[in-house]
Amino acid sequence: MRIVIAGGHGRIALRLERLLSARGYEVAGIVRDPEQGDDLRDAGAEPVLCDLESATVEHVAGILQGADVAVFAAGAGAGSGIERKDTVDRTAAVLFADAAERARVRRFLMVSSMGADARHDGDEVFDFYLRAKGEADDHLRTRLGLEWTILRPGALTDQAGTGLVRLEADTGRGSIPLDDVAAVLAELIETPATAGLILELLSGSTPVSVAVKDVAGN
């Protein structure tokens, strides 16, 4: 299985790449800075240079050709302004979904955000972020050629993962270690029965594999 991850040098992506490569998958991470390549190789992933903020759908579809799974884990990041919330968190996510559909990639995972809502009100940068993520999620749901799953983690922390989570359609607010987000994504990739679900994720009391099987109805 070949898996291509947008935002390949991100805090979630590097963790996910290590997990997937350890499971024997062929993993590629899209980055725009060639100096990040060694970090991806150390994580067991192939770096692919591409700036999703300026790329065309056709170019990204070429990168995705032959992939079995596409994961959008890119983000403008803390400290970025309204403009990059739009160009990365919305526009790049939309482009990546369109490119995946064009390349006939069946499985697509979107790393979204708890509270993402295209109709979210407010004028702060975080309000724009939640609207951008919501609009990207809404667009993905219209891509009939994709078997998509949208994951909406709570507040991300650098604490060591516990492997225990709460994964439901509606969890309420809370936090989740980055390690556990990556672990859930790895399980979702291996669980196609979660296609069509929008899931919220927090720290909890259920082992990751059990939590994913539960939402998949297994």
Side-chain angles (χ1 to χ4, degrees), residues 12 26 110 118 150 171:
I12 292 173
E26 180 184 349
M110 176 76 83
I150 296 171
T171 60

Side-chain angles (χ1 to χ4, degrees), residues 15-189:
R15 289 169 167 83
L16 179 58
E17 287 155 4
R18 291 189 187 96
L19 291 175
L20 295 174
S21 63
R23 296 185 185 192
Y25 295 125
E26 180 184 349
V27 187
I30 297 176
V31 296
R32 63 177 185 171
D33 183 351
E35 295 186 358
Q36 296 172 340
D38 286 345
D39 291 337
L40 269 71
R41 294 184 190 96
D42 288 344
E46 166 201 352
V48 178
L49 287 177
C50 178
D51 185 349
L52 293 174
E53 292 179 80
S54 59
T56 64
V57 171
E58 291 76 12
H59 179 69
V60 178
I63 293 171
L64 288 166
Q65 198 69 42
D68 300 287
V69 182
V71 181
F72 187 84
S80 59
I82 291 170
E83 181 178 351
R84 295 207 69 227
K85 301 301 184 193
D86 183 68
T87 58
V88 178
D89 295 297
R90 184 184 69 84
T91 306
V94 166
L95 179 143
F96 198 62
D98 290 348
E101 188 173 47
R102 183 168 300 192
R104 300 182 183 275
V105 179
R106 294 299 299 173
R107 191 82 171 100
F108 191 105
L109 274 68
M110 176 76 83
V111 181
S112 184
S113 172
M114 188 168 289
D117 184 350
R119 294 160 295 282
H120 178 82
D121 195 21
D123 297 320
E124 301 296 324
V125 172
F126 191 67
D127 298 319
F128 280 91
Y129 168 74
L130 292 178
R131 283 196 292 275
K133 296 298 283 185
E135 289 172 17
D137 292 353
D138 288 349
H139 179 80
L140 176 59
R141 294 167 65 191
T142 69
R143 301 300 87 195
L144 300 180
L146 299 176
E147 297 174 357
W148 53 263
T149 302
I150 296 171
L151 183 65
R152 293 177 170 172
L156 302 174
T157 75
D158 290 314
Q159 295 174 344
T162 66
L164 300 174
V165 300
R166 181 178 179 188
L167 181 68
E168 300 171 9
D170 185 3
T171 60
R173 298 304 174 98
S175 62
I176 179 80
L178 290 157
D179 290 344
D180 289 333
V181 177
V184 168
L185 286 167
E187 289 293 325
L188 290 173
I189 286 171

Side-chain angles (χ1 to χ4, degrees), residues 192-216:
T194 57
L197 299 181
I198 301 175
L199 301 168
E200 295 185 348
L201 175 64
L202 300 176
S203 291
S205 58
T206 305
V208 167
S209 61
V210 175
V212 172
K213 288 177 181 176
D214 285 348
V215 296

